[in-house]
């Protein structure tokens, strides 16, 4: 077992697997069936705002609350009896954690170990991903980026390009041989809008949706055009450059908080995949279990 791979019960001994994706802006949760395959959807998902600081006890409380909410959601979707639905709120079989905020990693890891009664698989340096890396220093790759790439390749094959709209806008590239070539990191949609209003005293905070026309008839519309249409133009232009370097076009997968809003505006054919990162985390956890 390599560094970063933690021990936990064998697959099939419990009910569920909890995947936790701690981002700079939001924290996503996905509850998977213990026997779910690599491309299976989670039983339920939930999202919370990521705080600047968090204790292990606070994180544990959030885990308990989220599991309770997901239990009710699963019960409603499957019309389960109350006694059957309650089992989903009990500690999962296993947990897998991705955290891009270093100061919160220890708290979340400790909270998951206590709440789930097993050491979580923490995605980071030393964890075997099953990916061939053509990145100069794989240690630098964020765990959320790894999860996106793993899930994109498993679901859509190779080559494939994943675009994740979050605090940053990340583009990840898998070549025709299934190897991770690398990617692109740029400021995200909300970050660009916040920078405008912070740096320019007379510019307001704007809602992040596309205006009716590219030429804004008000300051707010002009900002929305620059931020939203500018982001779309940047994504399209970067995809053109990626395909030129690949020597071929590839399926494009959009995920993250802005994917649904931006997909209709992007000129390249793309599919929106809301649970891509969570499925990638679940797949990485499956890889750890299989190598034991």
């Amino acid at each position: 077992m390599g560094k970063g791979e933690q021990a936990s019960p064998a697959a099939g001994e419990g009910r569920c697997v909890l995947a936790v994706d701690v981002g700079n802006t939001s924290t996503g949760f996905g509850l998977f069936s213990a026997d779910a395959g690599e491309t299976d959807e989670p039983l339920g998902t939930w999202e919370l705002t990521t705080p600047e600081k968090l204790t292990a006890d606070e994180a544990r409380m959030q885990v308990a609350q989220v599991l309770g909410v997901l239990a009710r959601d699963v019960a409603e979707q499957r019309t389960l009896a109350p006694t059957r639905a309650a089992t989903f709120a009990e500690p999962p079989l296993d947990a897998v954690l991705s955290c891009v905020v270093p100061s919160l990693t220890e708290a979340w890891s400790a909270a998951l170990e206590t709440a789930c009664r097993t050491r979580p698989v923490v995605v980071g340096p030393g964890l075997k991903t099953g990916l061939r890396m053509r990145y100069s220093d794989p240690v630098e790759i964020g765990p959320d980026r790894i999860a996106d790439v793993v899930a994109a390749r498993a679901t859509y094959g190779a080559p494939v390009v994943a675009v994740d709209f979050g605090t940053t806008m990340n583009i990840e590239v898998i070549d025709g041989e299934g190897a991770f070539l690398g990617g692109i990191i740029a400021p995200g949609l909300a970050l660009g809008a916040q920078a405008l209003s912070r740096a320019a005293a007379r510019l307001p905070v704007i809602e992040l949706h596309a205006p009716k026309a590219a030429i804004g008839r008000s300051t707010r519309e002009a900002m929305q055009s620059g931020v939203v249409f500018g982001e779309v133009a940047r994504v399209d232009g970067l995809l053109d450059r990626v395909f030129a370097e690949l020597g071929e076009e590839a399926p494009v997968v959009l995920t993250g908080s802005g994917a649904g809003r931006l997909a209709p505006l992007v000129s390249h054919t793309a599919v929106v995949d809301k649970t891509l990162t969570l499925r990638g985390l679940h797949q990485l956890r499956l890889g750890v279990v299989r190598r034991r």
Side-chain angles (χ1 to χ4, degrees):
M1 186 182 302
K3 180 182 177 183
E5 297 183 25
Q6 297 88 0
S8 65
E13 293 178 1
R15 297 162 303 283
C16 295
V17 176
L18 181 65
V20 182
D21 174 32
V22 182
N24 289 292
T25 303
S26 62
T27 298
F29 300 82
L31 190 66
F32 292 84
S33 172
D35 58 357
E38 293 179 346
T39 59
D40 288 348
E41 289 290 329
L43 299 170
T45 62
W46 198 253
E47 188 174 66
L48 300 174
T49 300
T50 300
E52 292 184 6
K53 297 180 180 179
L54 189 73
T55 68
D57 287 338
E58 289 170 333
R60 182 183 176 189
M61 180 174 63
Q62 289 190 5
V63 170
Q65 292 173 336
V66 167
L67 286 175
V69 170
L70 292 178
R72 291 192 294 272
D73 288 350
V74 171
E76 291 175 359
Q77 293 170 12
R78 298 188 171 191
T79 61
L80 299 174
T83 53
R84 173 65 178 135
T87 64
F88 287 96
E90 296 175 10
L93 158 69
D94 210 342
V96 54
L97 171 67
S98 162
C99 183
V100 301
V101 186
S103 62
L104 300 182
T105 302
E106 184 176 348
W108 272 109
S109 181
L112 289 171
E113 183 170 358
T114 301
C116 301
R117 302 173 192 169
T118 180
R119 296 178 64 192
V121 172
V122 180
V123 181
L127 183 74
K128 294 180 180 179
T129 64
L131 288 170
R132 281 180 292 165
M133 292 287 183
R134 294 182 177 171
Y135 212 79
S136 58
D137 187 0
V139 173
E140 296 178 349
I141 307 171
D144 55 336
R145 297 178 65 196
I146 292 294
D148 283 348
V149 169
V150 166
R153 187 181 68 170
T155 307
Y156 305 97
V160 64
V161 176
V163 184
D164 194 333
F165 298 101
T167 306
T168 60
M169 187 277 291
N170 300 339
I171 298 179
E172 316 299 351
V173 184
I174 290 282
D175 68 14
E177 297 178 354
F180 178 45
L181 286 184
I184 298 167
I185 302 175
L189 197 66
L191 203 57
Q194 291 166 7
L196 271 178
S197 61
R198 281 199 305 262
R202 296 187 61 181
L203 295 183
V205 176
I206 60 171
E207 299 168 343
L208 294 175
H209 61 74
K212 295 180 180 179
I215 302 174
R217 299 292 195 252
S218 67
T219 299
R220 189 173 297 276
E221 288 181 355
M223 290 175 66
Q224 288 173 333
S225 178
V227 172
V228 179
F229 289 149
E231 179 76 347
V232 170
R234 179 171 63 175
V235 170
D236 277 328
L238 289 173
L239 287 174
D240 287 339
R241 287 179 176 269
V242 166
F243 294 152
E245 291 184 20
L246 269 179
E248 61 179 326
E249 292 204 2
V252 178
V253 187
L254 308 182
T255 193
S257 58
R261 285 174 294 179
L262 296 180
L265 305 175
V266 174
S267 63
H268 292 80
T269 301
V271 60
V272 176
D273 191 330
K274 296 180 179 180
T275 63
L276 186 75
T277 309
L278 291 172
R279 294 203 318 278
L281 292 179
H282 176 58
Q283 186 177 342
L284 287 165
R285 176 256 169 194
L286 282 177
V288 171
V289 171
R290 290 168 180 168
R291 284 191 294 271
R292 292 189 184 122

